[in-house]
Amino acid sequence: MAKMKRHMTHDEEFQIMKLVLDKFLWLGVGIMAFGFYKMVTLSDNIGYGLSLLAGGAIILIIFMIIIIREYNFLGRA
């Protein structure tokens, strides 16, 4: 006898996605903080810190777009 697969509710799926994306958002913030630290400490090579700062911002923007597309926050009433 085959077991029936249990489907998650929309709320359960959202809670799991929040837990996963929270880790990636912290990663983006951490990269930005490290980039800022490098900008402050490396007075001769500011470009390296600036590129890390921009990379962290790009990670945050990508995950923001994923969240908006997945859950369509702007289209809900």
Side-chain angles (χ1 to χ4, degrees):
M1 204 156 138
K3 283 191 166 187
M4 297 279 296
K5 287 187 177 180
R6 187 170 170 233
H7 296 282
M8 290 189 289
T9 64
H10 187 67
D11 186 53
E12 290 171 335
E13 184 180 331
F14 180 71
Q15 295 299 327
I16 290 173
M17 187 171 179
K18 276 193 337 187
L19 290 172
V20 171
L21 287 179
D22 184 50
K23 306 305 183 263
F24 285 109
L25 294 174
W26 274 111
L27 178 69
V29 169
I31 291 171
M32 288 180 72
F34 183 67
F36 183 72
Y37 168 75
K38 286 296 184 180
M39 279 178 52
V40 171
T41 58
L42 296 175
S43 61
D44 58 340
N45 191 7
I46 294 178
Y48 176 68
L50 190 60
S51 64
L52 284 174
L53 196 66
I58 289 170
I59 288 174
L60 291 175
I61 290 170
I62 288 171
F63 284 109
M64 180 184 68
I65 291 170
I66 289 172
I67 290 172
I68 289 173
R69 281 190 183 166
E70 182 70 26
Y71 289 99
N72 198 12
F73 287 129
L74 301 178
R76 290 191 179 167

